[in-house]
């Protein structure tokens, strides 16, 4: 079977690593890790791993998850500080611990015990972006108030100059037909310390069950958490919906949410046949695809899904 990688556009930098794994007969899980590892190491991507934008206090906190669509085995970390390889650590959780999700100090302890390299994840450039946004904060500001203010600014800022959202999504299908999915992020910039988004929450930002397909999300994690978006897409396919309809229904559910910080949610997904699609609650987004038969990746339009007509009628 042809090896396939589908991901968010920022996965491009790692696609060749993933294709090399698949072309060499490697597993979908290994391919997912190979792609995401490269993105996490990229200091120019301020939404993932090393160089990621920090939380309100200037600390970079990473979230990641991985899922094996063959067995539904999964592992995740949230609020990981000081180690860039969040996706590798999520895999350690999956394979070495009788747990699914490890957070904060526990995640750093696991990284240390597993021989991961300690590293200051805050690059001078990311620090500068953070400082420019935080400069008006008073030491007396309550974190809750400041988080709300910055989240509101991010939500309304049409240019989002430093793209304060962002996450890498990768779904792989290997030569044996097995599917795996992975997600890694530094989360919403300026988040409340300890906030975990959808990326490490299985069912919210990541889900794979190869009997039906797989789905992963980027964008406002709180919305995907509330709708269990990734799991919903896979479940809708389980109930017989074609991939495009499953994505439409999931996006319409997201539009229905009442949320003062409402923002975009983007989904990439594949069905059990390896048909792929990208969808978004906002127009103009793309996703990326590469197979073992292609020389170059293909960047494709995501389908924009507007609110459902009943929602429009109620506004
Ligand atoms: N989904 C990520 C989060 O909420 C961020 C993003 O993709 O923009 O942490």
């Amino acid at each position: 079977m042809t090896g396939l990688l589908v991901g968010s556009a920022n996965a491009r930098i790692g696609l060749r690593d993933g294709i090399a794994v698949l072309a060499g007969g490697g597993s979908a899980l290994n391919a997912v890790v190979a792609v995401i590892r490269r993105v996490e190491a990229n200091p120019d991507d301020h939404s993932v791993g090393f160089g990621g934008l920090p939380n309100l206090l200037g600390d970079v906190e990473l979230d990641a998850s991985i899922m094996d669509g063959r067995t539904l085995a999964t592992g995740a970390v949230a609020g990981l500080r000081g180690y860039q390889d969040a996706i590798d650590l999520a895999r350690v959780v999956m394979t070495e611990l009788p747990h699914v999700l490890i957070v904060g100090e526990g995640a750093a302890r696991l990284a240390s015990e597993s021989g991961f390299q300690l590293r200051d994840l805050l690059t001078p450039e990311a620090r500068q972006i953070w400082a420019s946004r935080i400069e008006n904060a008073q030491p007396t500001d309550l974190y809750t108030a400041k988080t709300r203010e910055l989240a509101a600014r991010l939500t309304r800022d049409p240019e989002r100059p430093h793209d304060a959202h962002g996450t890498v999504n990768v779904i792989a299908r290997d030569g044996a037909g097995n599917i795996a999915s992975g997600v890694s992020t530094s989360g919403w910039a300026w988040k409340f310390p300890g906030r975990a988004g959808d990326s490490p929450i299985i069912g919210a930002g990541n889900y794979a069950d190869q009997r039906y397909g797989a789905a992963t999300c980027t964008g406002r994690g709180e919305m995907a958490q509330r709708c269990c978006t990734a799991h919903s897409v896979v479940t809708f396919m389980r109930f017989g919906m074609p991939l495009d309809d499953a994505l439409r229904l999931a996006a319409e559910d997201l539009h229905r949410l009442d949320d003062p910080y409402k923002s975009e949610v983007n989904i990439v997904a594949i069905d059990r046949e390896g048909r792929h699609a990208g969808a978004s609650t906002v127009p103009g987004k793309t996703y990326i695809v590469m197979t073992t038969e292609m020389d170059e990746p293909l960047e494709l339009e995501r389908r924009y899904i507007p609110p459902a007509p009943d929602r429009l009628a109620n506004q």
Side-chain angles (χ1 to χ4, degrees):
M1 199 176 279
T2 307
L4 170 70
L5 291 173
V6 182
S8 49
N10 60 342
R12 177 186 284 269
I13 191 170
L15 285 186
R16 286 186 194 288
D17 301 80
I19 287 295
V21 170
L22 296 176
S27 69
L29 279 170
N30 283 345
V32 163
V33 171
V35 178
I36 294 181
R37 193 185 280 154
R38 180 73 69 173
V39 183
E40 289 173 338
N42 176 15
D44 297 328
D45 190 326
H46 292 305
S47 67
V48 182
F50 179 63
L53 290 174
N55 67 14
L56 198 56
L57 302 181
D59 296 316
V60 181
E61 293 182 326
L62 305 182
D63 295 345
S65 65
I66 189 159
M67 187 153 190
D68 183 344
R70 190 171 55 94
T71 60
L72 307 195
T74 182
V77 291
L80 170 68
R81 295 187 187 186
Y83 296 89
Q84 83 182 23
D85 299 305
I87 196 69
D88 280 278
L89 194 60
R91 190 176 190 172
V92 170
V93 175
M94 178 172 82
T95 56
E96 305 300 328
L97 285 178
H99 303 308
V100 162
L101 172 61
I102 304 291
V103 306
E105 276 178 29
R109 175 187 293 268
L110 180 65
S112 164
E113 277 189 17
S114 308
F116 285 50
Q117 188 82 38
L118 192 62
R119 187 175 197 190
D120 182 357
L121 302 181
L122 187 64
T123 58
E125 197 189 336
R127 185 173 205 299
Q128 206 198 336
I129 299 168
W130 169 76
S132 69
R133 290 297 187 104
I134 301 288
E135 66 191 1
N136 298 328
Q138 302 300 317
T140 50
D141 275 349
L142 287 176
Y143 296 162
T144 41
K146 199 68 201 162
T147 302
R148 282 200 302 266
E149 182 206 317
L150 287 164
R153 255 205 269 163
L154 277 184
T155 308
R156 286 182 211 119
D157 180 355
E159 291 176 12
R160 284 188 286 122
H162 298 295
D163 205 2
H165 299 255
T167 294
V168 61
N169 287 172
V170 179
I171 300 173
R173 190 189 63 175
D174 61 29
N178 292 320
I179 291 174
S181 55
V183 179
S184 183
T185 189
S186 48
W188 257 47
W190 343 129
K191 61 193 173 187
F192 195 94
R195 174 267 190 188
D198 57 323
S199 310
I201 305 301
I202 290 303
N206 186 3
Y207 202 76
D209 180 339
Q210 70 192 40
R211 293 174 299 169
Y212 316 109
T216 51
C217 304
T218 61
R220 177 155 166 74
E222 282 75 2
M223 292 169 67
Q225 284 172 313
R226 289 167 67 189
C227 289
C228 295
T229 300
H231 187 263
S232 296
V233 170
V234 175
T235 301
F236 296 153
M237 291 193 282
R238 176 179 194 164
F239 290 155
M241 273 189 191
L243 176 58
D244 280 349
D245 289 351
L247 287 169
R248 182 184 43 74
L249 194 56
E252 287 174 359
D253 284 349
L254 290 161
H255 279 299
R256 271 189 195 93
L257 293 174
D258 210 0
D259 179 358
Y261 308 103
K262 200 168 207 164
S263 181
E264 68 197 54
V265 176
N266 314 293
I267 313 168
V268 290
I270 69 173
D271 68 13
R272 67 172 150 217
E273 313 296 343
R275 280 183 288 255
H276 53 81
S280 179
T281 58
V282 297
K285 296 285 169 172
T286 60
Y287 72 108
I288 203 152
V289 180
M290 191 165 178
T291 72
T292 44
E293 288 169 355
M294 290 162 59
D295 294 329
E296 294 294 330
L298 207 58
E299 192 159 345
L300 300 168
E301 288 274 309
R302 289 179 193 253
R303 194 169 135 224
Y304 163 55
I305 317 245
D310 65 316
R311 171 69 182 168
L312 286 173
N314 291 338
Q315 275 177 348

